């Protein structure tokens, strides 16, 4: 039987034992013939890195077969020697499925919770007594941003002293505990712990222009819930989940499955939207004097806690039963850095700066439109019941739109690549944002035409703003987030961990706070958000163009890093020991090897 060892430059053995091979002790077998102490020189090797089979007649009838093939086992196209093909299911390796399915379920649970928390936080702070949508810019700037920065500093410290598993549980468990405590303790006691009388006195002294800042003091526990819900999105989704996903997947797996992670997750948006609407309508059937909102909160927070423990279980299962991949390419290990050193390092990196620009630009852009839309939403639906019910429908529509975009996202990645996918979200946000601001500016002129459809300019603005948010968020979940997370994969572990903490935890709220600061400045300068609409539209235009420029720059750098990674992989694949035959003792055989066409 002919034995052919296939690699880059590999020499096949004679098919039969002959006199030439009888110089070896038969008991020594294949091992001695392959690893004899005196190897052949270049005369006995075929050095072509392509398919060049040849048979050279040797004395005593000994054929020496030289064969080189470009496709090697290291390339993953053919099994190497005794390597067995990995088991697959529907064309996908079982090991890959054991990673992808739990990740999809984790993302489902995380976004299910986030939808409930996002809708609930808006109802709490916008419809509370003595508050309005005007509180949101102040809340994001003066409460959310400082807490996000504080968390980043704490997370950076913990990342240096805790293992990845301990860090995961240390971060997520306090969230689960808080949301459970809010539904069953803080909200029922809100009438006793909120300083309503003090806030009224301060408002009478300072005037109505301080309604927003004083509302933070007036409903401080609701504001704390708002901030924790915001941090759930930036910390649990961006840092914990995507950090874990980047840890256990490769770039090839990410390109194939990252867009699909959101398919099951955005089914969660549909179901969670229905859940919010169910609890909103549940309050209608309660008797007089019963605090229906308190009952609804207990039910929704119980679901949030249950989903939180499910996330922890899935994380434990993957770490327990799935072998985590090791990167085939090596990066220079960097010493542990302190917080300020980490920030200096990240600021000095053009790659990280471009990533941060993407996140900040998205935060500013979506906030410029979202706060104005929520003010219109409260004017149209003033009661908490109606407001929450509309938000349930909004979340369901977002889930359906995102599910559809997820189906298209893999085609976009395969057909057009990372760069085009990264530019779709800012383009959608620009077009829909311009439409929303235009409707607000020219709503009076369009009033008669809208009346034909039984709509007022206010209701039309609510629906157009909802469409803007739906399309923007669906593009974010299906394209922007996968693009952003793919960009982390080629980075070394130190940059990846600390870069994600700085970008996702700080830059995300920084973008929202930046939009809030712009709105606060506009309100103080022009008197109201409505008067600031033309200027907000112009600022939105500039932000989106900056976003597109950063995406183009990052696309170039990402492509270069991927090429370097592939080159390093190829170099490691080529770094194998080449088995050779022992140099023949017979001078005539040795001399005849000079005529081997493999060396010509």
């Amino acid at each position: 039987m002919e034995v052919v060892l296939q690699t880059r430059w590999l020499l096949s053995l004679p098919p039969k034992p002959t006199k030439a091979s009888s110089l070896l002790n038969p008991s020594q077998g294949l091992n001695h013939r392959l690893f004899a102490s005196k190897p052949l020189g270049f005369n006995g090797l075929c050095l072509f890195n392509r398919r060049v089979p040849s048979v050279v007649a040797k004395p005593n009838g000994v054929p020496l077969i030289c064969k080189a093939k470009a496709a090697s086992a290291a390339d993953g196209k053919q099994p190497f020697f005794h390597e067995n093909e990995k088991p697959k299911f529907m064309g996908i390796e079982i090991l890959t499925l054991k990673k992808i399915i739990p990740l999809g379920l984790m993302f489902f649970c995380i976004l299910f919770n986030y939808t409930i928390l996002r809708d609930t936080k808006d109802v709490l702070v916008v419809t509370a007594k003595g508050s309005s949508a005007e509180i949101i810019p102040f809340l994001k700037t003066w409460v959310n941003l400082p807490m996000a920065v504080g968390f980043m500093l704490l997370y950076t410290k913990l990342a240096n002293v805790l293992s990845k598993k301990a860090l995961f549980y240390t971060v997520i468990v306090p969230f689960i505990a808080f949301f459970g405590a809010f539904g069953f303790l803080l909200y029922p006691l809100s009438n006793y712990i909120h300083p309503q009388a003090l806030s009224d006195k301060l408002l009478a002294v300072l005037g109505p222009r301080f309604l927003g800042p004083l509302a933070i003091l007036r409903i401080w526990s609701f504001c704390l819930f708002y901030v924790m819900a915001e941090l759930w999105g930036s910390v649990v989704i961006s840092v914990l989940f995507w950090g874990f996903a980047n840890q256990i997947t490769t770039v090839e797996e990410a390109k194939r499955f990252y867009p699909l992670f959101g398919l099951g997750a955005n089914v969660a948006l549909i179901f969670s939207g229905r859940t919010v609407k169910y609890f909103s309508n549940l309050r209608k059937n309660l008797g007089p004097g019963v605090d229906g909102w308190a009952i609804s909160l207990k039910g929704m927070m119980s679901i949030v806690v249950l989903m939180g423990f499910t996330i922890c279980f899935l994380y434990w299962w993957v770490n327990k039963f799935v072998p985590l991949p090791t990167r085939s390419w090596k990066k220079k290990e960097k010493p542990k850095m302190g917080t300020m050193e980490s920030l200096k390092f990240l600021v000095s990196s053009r790659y990280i700066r471009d990533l941060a620009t993407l996140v900040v630009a998205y935060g500013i852009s979506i906030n410029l439109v979202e706060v104005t839309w929520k003010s219109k939403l409260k004017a149209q639906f003033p009661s908490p019941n109606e407001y929450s019910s509309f938000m349930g429908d909004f979340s369901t529509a977002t889930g359906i739109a995102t599910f559809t975009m997820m189906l298209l996202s893999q085609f976009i990645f395969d057909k057009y690549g990372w760069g085009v996918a990264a530019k779709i979200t800012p383009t959608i946000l620009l077009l829909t944002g311009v439409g929303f601001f235009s409707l607000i500016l020219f709503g009076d002129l369009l009033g008669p035409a809208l009346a034909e459809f039984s709509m007022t300019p206010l209701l039309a603005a609510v629906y157009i703003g909802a469409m803007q948010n739906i399309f923007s968020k669906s593009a974010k979940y299906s394209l922007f987030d996968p693009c952003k997370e793919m960009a982390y994969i080629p980075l070394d572990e130190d940059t990846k961990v600390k870069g994600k903490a700085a970008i996702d935890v700080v830059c995300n709220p920084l973008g929202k706070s930046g939009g809030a600061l712009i709105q606060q400045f506009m309100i103080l300068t022009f008197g109201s958000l409505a008067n600031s609409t033309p200027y907000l539209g112009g600022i939105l235009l500039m932000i989106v163009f900056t976003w597109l420029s950063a995406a183009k720059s990052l696309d170039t750098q990402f492509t270069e890093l991927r090429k370097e990674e592939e080159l390093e992989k190829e170099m490691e694949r080529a770094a194998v020991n080449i088995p050779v035959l022992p140099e023949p003792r017979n001078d005539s055989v040795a001399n005849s090897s000079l005529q081997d066409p493999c060396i010509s």
Side-chain angles (χ1 to χ4, degrees):
M1 177 182 296
E2 179 179 346
V3 179
V4 180
L5 300 180
Q6 298 177 350
T7 184
R8 293 284 180 184
W9 306 294
L10 206 57
L11 195 60
S12 297
L13 299 176
K16 298 179 182 179
T18 61
K19 293 181 180 180
S21 61
S22 63
L23 296 174
L24 296 172
N25 189 333
S27 64
Q28 294 172 320
L30 180 64
N31 184 62
H32 184 87
R33 281 181 280 165
L34 288 179
F35 300 100
S37 60
K38 188 176 181 181
L40 282 172
F42 287 108
N43 292 337
L45 288 176
C46 179
L47 298 180
F48 294 108
N49 189 16
R50 62 180 183 271
R51 190 187 299 271
V52 188
S54 64
V55 179
V56 183
K58 300 295 180 184
N60 302 322
V62 180
L64 183 62
I65 302 175
C66 284
K67 191 173 186 179
K69 301 181 70 173
S72 66
D75 292 324
K77 298 180 181 179
Q78 295 182 5
F80 180 71
F81 210 26
H82 296 295
E83 181 183 356
N84 295 324
E85 185 178 0
K86 296 181 179 179
K88 295 183 178 181
F89 177 75
M90 298 181 64
I92 304 175
E93 292 182 2
I94 298 297
L95 179 60
T96 300
L97 289 177
K98 290 174 69 176
K99 292 188 292 185
I100 298 304
I101 293 177
L103 284 175
L105 292 175
M106 286 180 66
F107 205 35
F108 177 95
C109 295
I110 292 171
L111 279 186
F112 190 99
N113 277 1
Y114 182 57
T115 303
I116 293 177
L117 297 173
R118 181 187 61 195
D119 294 346
T120 303
K121 71 179 176 63
D122 288 334
V123 175
L124 284 171
V125 301
V126 173
T127 64
K129 181 182 177 181
S131 181
S132 66
E134 301 290 334
I135 190 179
I136 296 179
F138 297 96
L139 185 57
K140 289 185 175 181
T141 303
W142 308 113
V143 181
N144 193 32
L145 180 59
M147 289 193 66
V149 172
F151 175 84
M152 189 277 295
L153 298 176
L154 178 62
Y155 182 86
T156 304
K157 293 290 186 181
L158 293 175
N160 288 334
V161 298
L162 296 178
S163 65
K164 291 182 179 179
K165 295 180 184 179
L167 183 63
F168 185 94
Y169 296 123
T170 301
V171 171
I172 196 172
V173 169
F175 281 97
I176 300 172
F178 172 80
F179 293 127
F182 183 86
F184 289 89
L185 293 176
L186 290 179
Y187 183 81
L189 297 174
S190 59
N191 291 332
Y192 303 98
I193 61 178
H194 287 172
Q196 296 286 351
L198 175 61
S199 300
D200 291 337
K201 291 180 180 179
L202 292 175
L203 183 62
V205 173
L206 299 176
R209 60 179 177 176
F210 288 92
L211 175 66
L214 289 176
I216 297 176
L217 174 64
R218 181 189 300 272
I219 54 173
W220 67 266
S221 66
F222 297 173
C223 295
L224 182 60
F225 182 94
Y226 186 98
V227 172
M228 292 295 287
E230 287 280 324
L231 287 177
W232 177 274
S234 58
V235 173
V236 179
I237 295 177
S238 299
V239 177
L240 296 186
F241 172 77
W242 284 116
F244 181 55
N246 293 341
Q247 176 189 351
I248 67 175
T249 58
T250 63
V251 172
E252 290 74 17
E253 291 172 337
K255 286 183 177 180
R256 185 176 183 183
F257 295 108
Y258 271 19
L260 301 180
F261 282 167
L263 285 179
N266 286 284
V267 174
L269 288 179
I270 300 174
F271 284 103
S272 57
R274 294 298 87 194
T275 301
V276 172
K277 189 173 181 65
Y278 168 78
F279 283 110
S280 300
N281 294 332
L282 179 65
R283 294 177 302 206
K284 297 179 181 179
N285 302 324
L286 298 176
V290 178
D291 191 352
W293 184 234
I295 296 176
S296 299
L297 275 178
K298 289 180 181 179
M300 289 188 288
M301 292 306 103
S302 297
I303 295 175
V304 168
V305 171
L306 178 62
M307 288 294 186
F309 285 123
T310 302
I311 295 166
C312 294
F313 170 77
L314 290 169
Y315 180 82
W316 169 84
W317 188 90
V318 172
N319 282 280
K320 180 71 174 180
F321 298 104
V322 179
L324 303 184
T326 56
R327 303 301 179 193
S328 61
W329 42 276
K330 298 178 181 179
K331 296 288 184 180
K332 181 180 179 181
E333 294 187 359
K334 299 183 179 181
K336 295 292 183 179
M337 296 185 294
T339 300
M340 295 305 300
E341 293 173 329
S342 299
L343 290 176
K344 290 179 181 178
F345 168 74
L346 295 175
V347 170
S348 64
S349 171
R350 178 188 172 194
Y351 194 94
I352 297 297
R353 287 200 307 270
D354 287 337
L355 263 176
T357 301
L358 264 61
V359 175
V360 172
Y362 174 82
I364 293 178
S365 301
I366 196 67
N367 191 66
L368 289 178
V369 182
E370 192 174 39
V371 174
T372 305
W373 171 63
K374 287 179 180 178
S375 66
K376 301 296 182 182
L377 184 59
K378 184 185 179 181
Q380 181 66 37
F381 305 107
S383 71
N385 192 348
E386 294 175 343
Y387 193 106
S388 181
S389 179
F390 180 87
M391 291 303 296
D393 291 332
F394 167 79
S395 297
T396 299
T398 302
I400 295 173
T402 306
F403 188 90
T404 304
M405 286 292 295
M406 286 288 180
L407 296 177
L408 297 175
S409 60
Q410 188 170 10
F411 168 78
I412 294 173
F413 277 109
D414 293 339
K415 180 70 174 179
Y416 301 104
W418 189 94
V420 172
K423 296 174 184 176
I424 290 179
T425 304
T427 302
I428 291 177
L429 203 149
L430 174 63
L431 297 177
T432 55
V434 169
F436 174 71
F437 282 118
S438 299
L439 183 60
I440 295 178
L441 286 173
F442 307 107
D444 294 337
L445 298 177
L446 298 175
L450 294 173
E452 297 293 330
F453 300 94
S454 301
M455 295 179 63
T456 63
L458 176 60
L459 184 60
V462 168
Y463 285 149
I464 295 298
M467 292 178 59
Q468 190 275 338
N469 277 268
I470 289 169
F471 288 132
S472 299
K473 292 182 184 298
S474 63
K476 176 184 184 294
Y477 294 142
S478 59
L479 295 172
F480 180 79
D481 285 343
C483 283
K484 175 168 64 73
E485 301 307 325
M486 285 183 195
Y488 285 111
I489 295 179
L491 301 175
D492 59 81
E493 288 298 321
D494 193 71
T495 305
K496 191 180 300 181
V497 172
K498 296 181 180 179
K500 284 189 66 62
I503 290 176
D504 294 329
V505 180
V506 176
C507 294
N508 188 25
L510 179 62
K512 296 180 180 180
S513 299
L517 286 173
I518 293 173
Q519 289 170 330
Q520 292 175 51
F521 174 77
M522 292 294 177
I523 291 173
L524 295 175
T525 303
F526 300 101
S528 67
L529 285 175
N531 296 335
S532 308
T533 300
Y535 305 98
L536 293 175
I539 293 173
L540 177 65
L541 188 66
M542 292 188 295
I543 294 296
V544 171
F545 281 127
T546 303
W547 184 352
L548 291 170
S549 176
K552 181 179 179 181
S553 172
L554 193 60
D555 181 31
T556 302
Q557 298 175 77
F558 178 74
T559 302
E560 292 176 354
L561 283 179
R562 290 288 294 117
K563 289 180 180 179
E564 293 178 4
E565 179 183 347
E566 291 300 324
L567 179 60
E568 290 176 358
K569 287 181 179 179
E570 290 297 325
M571 293 176 64
E572 289 194 357
R573 289 168 183 167
V576 296
N577 293 326
I578 305 175
V580 296
L581 286 174
E583 183 177 356
R585 303 288 184 177
N586 192 312
D587 292 338
S588 61
V589 175
N591 293 333
S592 64
S593 66
L594 294 174
Q595 303 174 6
D596 192 336
C598 284
I599 63 172
S600 61

